[in-house]
């Protein structure tokens, strides 16, 4: 009878040991892929939330413009002299650093 109990506890331990590599892979996946991506998304949201009038932006479609008006969900950007477009804030790809020089000058 004791042999039966000892055999039963040993097989349960073997089953848990089999899950250790899977748990290790999940942890590696978390730290190498998911966590850095979450940090990047958080930084992007903070950058978009701080957009103000006069900033240079690039939309996810590649259009560059200067912010002329900021609403809660939208940004109005001037992409050429006298041409203004309304852009959804979530579609802003990047906010460029001020002080850049125009390419054609």
């Amino acid at each position: 009878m004791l042999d039966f109990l000892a055999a039963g506890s040993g097989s349960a331990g073997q089953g848990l040991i089999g899950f250790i590599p899977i748990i290790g892979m999940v942890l590696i996946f978390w730290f190498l892929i998911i966590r850095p991506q979450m940090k990047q998304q958080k930084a992007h949201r903070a950058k978009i939330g701080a957009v103000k009038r006069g900033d240079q932006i690039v939309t996810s479609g590649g259009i560059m413009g200067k912010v002329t008006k900021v609403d809660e969900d939208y940004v109005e950007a001037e992409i050429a002299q006298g041409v203004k477009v309304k852009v959804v804030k979530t579609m802003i790809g990047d906010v460029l650093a001020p002080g850049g020089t125009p390419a054609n000058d």
Side-chain angles (χ1 to χ4, degrees):
M1 177 131 173
L2 291 175
D3 294 331
F4 178 76
L5 293 175
S9 66
S11 64
Q14 294 272 336
L16 291 177
I17 292 174
F19 283 112
I20 290 175
I22 294 171
I23 293 170
M25 286 188 291
V26 168
L27 289 174
I28 290 171
F29 188 76
W30 173 263
F31 282 107
L32 292 179
I33 297 174
I34 296 173
R35 189 168 175 252
Q37 186 176 12
M38 287 173 43
K39 281 185 174 182
Q40 186 179 20
Q41 287 176 345
K42 185 177 179 180
H44 184 259
R45 274 187 255 126
K47 186 185 273 190
I48 299 305
V51 170
K52 60 187 179 304
R53 188 172 186 235
D55 286 347
Q56 293 284 334
I57 61 168
V58 179
T59 66
S60 59
I63 298 173
M64 296 178 67
K66 184 176 182 180
V67 176
T68 58
K69 183 179 175 185
V70 179
D71 290 336
E72 188 173 322
D73 296 325
Y74 300 99
V75 170
E76 190 174 281
E78 185 173 18
I79 58 174
Q81 192 172 13
V83 180
K84 294 181 181 181
V85 294
K86 200 172 198 179
V87 180
V88 178
K89 273 190 174 179
T90 57
M91 298 309 292
I92 296 174
D94 198 11
V95 179
L96 301 177
T101 58
N104 295 338
D105 288 344

